[in-house]
Amino acid sequence: MSAIRLLVLGAIRQRGRAHGYQVRSDLEAWGAHEWSTAKPGSIYHALRQMAKQGLLRAHDIEPSPAGPPRVEYELTGEGDAEFLRLLRTALSRHDQKIDELTAAVGFLDSLPREEAIALLKERVTALDGWRAEVARHWTPDDADPGDWEPITEIMRLWTHFSASGAEWTRGLIQRLERGTHREDAEPAPSGSTNR
Amino acid sequence: MSAIRLLVLGAIRQRGRAHGYQVRSDLEAWGAHEWSTAKPGSIYHALRQMAKQGLLRAHDIEPSPAGPPRVEYELTGEGDAEFLRLLRTALSRHDQKIDELTAAVGFLDSLPREEAIALLKERVTALDGWRAEVARHWTPDDADPGDWEPITEIMRLWTHFSASGAEWTRGLIQRLERGTHREDAEPAPSGSTNR
DNA sequence: GGAGCAGTAGTCAAATTTTACTAGCTCGCG
DNA sequence: CGCGAGCTAGTAAAATTTGACTACTGCTCC
């Protein structure tokens, strides 16, 4: 579902309550319109859809004089659960696009440090496993000529990217373990949003 | 437009003429259903759309007894041009998703070696430029606390990926230059498709 | 003193993608 | 024989995404 739901849920979560344009401009402030496919249409659509599905609660705001129907949203319990589910998935699975991974890193502080580390270790394992599997399909001995030849280059591409992805992940794990990365995410102190 | 058009055009191009299911199963044979979002619906849709736009010529095949409308497609001149355009874009731009890049590598032999090398060099330049720009936004001196903090990790992620992408690209360029990679792609010998 | 430009807030149609099916054929096997 | 699994070939509806707009407000710059 691309990264949009994660981004939208995360944006609303950080504000507690927000209407469409606020979400949109927060995402823009994070540069999300550059590294993800977050356009107005997708954002408003996601808001309505998630409200319909019970992930968001919608509050109609009385429009000052005569304006377009203004709506503020906040997360329901399910919405919060869905946010965490998406975040965990994005961190631990290797088959995620760069936009989901970027968004997930941006929300890393929403998880307890221990859990973030565990998820990232899963990610490393997944990447290593995938690389092994790719390599198995490739063993030069079955270089049966007549075979689709560029396959070799594709394998190299993937091997390279998964190794590189694992390396980055290990780096982040280390920074988290050393506390170089800020330790945040108090379990759930009633009304937080300290910035 | 994701990688679908490139994949579909490339598949038809290699066969000269093909109907939907052939394209679909070629893509499956290349594993494209795993690394791209190529599903039946998207493929058939792309075929019809591209036929409507004049990139493909559609030939209705008379169905044996009573079957679904069977259609074979082949590239028009415009279709071939579009294929090459997409291929060049996918190779030279840094902001491409992994599925487009993978598809492009798969079709690398459709370009003269010199051109492929030139495009990949463009890619390296683009990646280096992008990394420099990311780094400029990051210089630790503007570490104004209160700033959205995970931004640092996002920068690191991108820096890592662009460096790694450039490294892979340079490797491929070298293999091409040394001719380790097969040299193919005769300019245009009337009826080719030698495999 | 108003023309127009940037910012706020959002809609809509068209294109694309996903998910879940349909329908005919053939081949083995009990 | 006959039937169920798997292959061939594709459709349809719903969800999502894209790209191009609309409409109002407050300023600024002649």
Side-chain angles (χ1 to χ4, degrees), chain B residues 30-62:
Chain B
W30 305 344
H33 58 300
E34 291 187 358
W35 48 265
S36 80
T37 59
K39 287 153 214 246
S42 316
I43 294 167
Y44 288 105
H45 171 77
L47 286 170
R48 260 171 284 204
Q49 209 60 17
M50 293 194 295
K52 204 162 78 181
Q53 290 169 14
L55 305 179
L56 297 176
R57 208 182 346 271
H59 303 277
D60 294 301
I61 302 304
E62 69 271 45

Side-chain angles (χ1 to χ4, degrees), chain B residues 3-167:
Chain B
I4 287 195
R5 276 170 179 239
L6 180 57
L7 284 168
V8 169
L9 289 172
I12 296 179
R13 196 171 189 266
Q14 295 199 342
R15 277 190 183 267
R17 203 181 231 247
H19 57 81
Y21 190 77
Q22 279 173 333
V23 172
R24 177 180 168 182
S25 46
D26 280 0
L27 296 199
E28 223 156 277
W30 305 344
H33 58 300
E34 291 187 358
W35 48 265
S36 80
T37 59
K39 287 153 214 246
S42 316
I43 294 167
Y44 288 105
H45 171 77
L47 286 170
R48 260 171 284 204
Q49 209 60 17
M50 293 194 295
K52 204 162 78 181
Q53 290 169 14
L55 305 179
L56 297 176
R57 208 182 346 271
H59 303 277
D60 294 301
I61 302 304
E62 69 271 45
S64 336
R70 211 61 56 78
V71 186
E72 280 195 339
Y73 296 92
E74 67 184 319
L75 265 64
T76 61
E78 281 181 76
D80 197 66
E82 175 72 0
F83 169 77
L84 292 173
R85 204 184 59 67
L86 290 174
L87 179 54
R88 291 183 179 119
T89 304
L91 286 175
S92 60
R93 307 250 320 221
H94 78 281
D95 56 344
Q96 300 296 309
K97 309 276 186 266
I98 188 77
D99 57 346
E100 301 193 47
L101 184 56
T102 302
V105 171
F107 295 128
L108 201 56
D109 295 343
S110 306
L111 293 174
R113 202 175 54 149
E114 295 311 329
E115 187 182 0
I117 291 174
L119 290 167
L120 290 168
K121 284 184 176 169
E122 256 186 75
R123 178 185 196 80
V124 171
T125 305
L127 280 166
D128 288 346
W130 179 54
R131 187 160 64 267
E133 203 199 332
V134 168
R136 216 159 33 68
H137 273 273
W138 177 33
T139 40
D141 56 270
D142 73 349
D144 115 57
D147 199 22
W148 189 47
E149 190 263 351
I151 193 70
T152 304
E153 281 304 341
I154 291 184
M155 299 287 184
R156 258 200 261 254
L157 169 59
W158 289 349
T159 304
H160 186 95
F161 270 105
S162 69
S164 162
E167 196 190 332

